[in-house]
């Protein structure tokens, strides 16, 4: 049996701009907003797959991605994805520390390994693109 009271329960007011008060929350919201340019880039790639299937890739898709507005949107998407990756590499070693032989690896070492792997994969992709 629960006790009842005549007092009204206190409900703290939550304004729509609550996240703008602390830099941590601002950066969190910016990081979450990087999903919007990622959706744009995914749609561009999807359009490329469609034109490839129709056999009009060389004409339709290439002329589409050469449009200056599309280039600007793709550069914005690239910046957003790089920001997302950078913040992910900063957070992951702190949220999920890696233990080897009973010792946690230093956070900076894990970050450097993440960036190193990213660099190697990027170079391999670039080399494969030019072969």
């Amino acid at each position: 049996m629960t006790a009842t009271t005549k007092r009204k329960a206190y409900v703290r007011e939550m304004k729509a701009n609550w996240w703008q008060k602390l830099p941590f929350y601002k950066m969190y919201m910016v990081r979450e907003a990087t999903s919007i340019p990622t959706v744009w880039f995914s749609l561009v790639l999807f359009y490329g797959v469609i034109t490839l299937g129709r056999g009009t890739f060389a004409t339709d898709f290439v002329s589409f991605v050469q449009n200056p507005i599309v280039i600007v949107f793709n550069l914005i998407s690239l910046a957003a994805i790089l920001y997302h990756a950078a913040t992910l590499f900063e957070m992951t070693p702190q949220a999920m520390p890696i233990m080897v032989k009973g010792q946690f690896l230093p956070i900076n070492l894990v970050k450097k390994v993440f960036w190193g792997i990213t660099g190697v994969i990027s170079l391999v992709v670039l080399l494969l693109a030019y072969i």
Side-chain angles (χ1 to χ4, degrees), residues 37-38 40-41 72-84:
T38 304
W40 158 258
F41 193 70
V72 169
F73 284 163
N74 286 343
L75 289 174
I76 291 169
S77 293
L78 177 64
I81 290 168
L82 289 174
Y83 176 76
H84 188 88

Side-chain angles (χ1 to χ4, degrees), residues 7 9 36 52 58 69 72 114-115 124 126-127:
R7 280 196 245 168
I36 297 166
L52 190 63
I69 295 171
V72 169
F114 283 163
W115 281 113
V124 168
L126 281 172
L127 289 173

Side-chain angles (χ1 to χ4, degrees), residues 18-55:
W18 64 268
W19 57 272
Q20 295 175 344
K21 294 182 175 130
L22 292 173
F24 173 80
Y25 292 125
K26 285 181 190 177
M27 298 314 291
Y28 174 79
M29 294 302 276
V30 169
R31 183 174 193 280
E32 293 301 310
T34 61
S35 63
I36 297 166
T38 304
V39 168
W40 158 258
F41 193 70
S42 298
L43 291 173
V44 169
L45 290 178
F46 184 63
Y47 177 62
V49 169
I50 290 171
T51 58
L52 190 63
R54 283 190 288 174

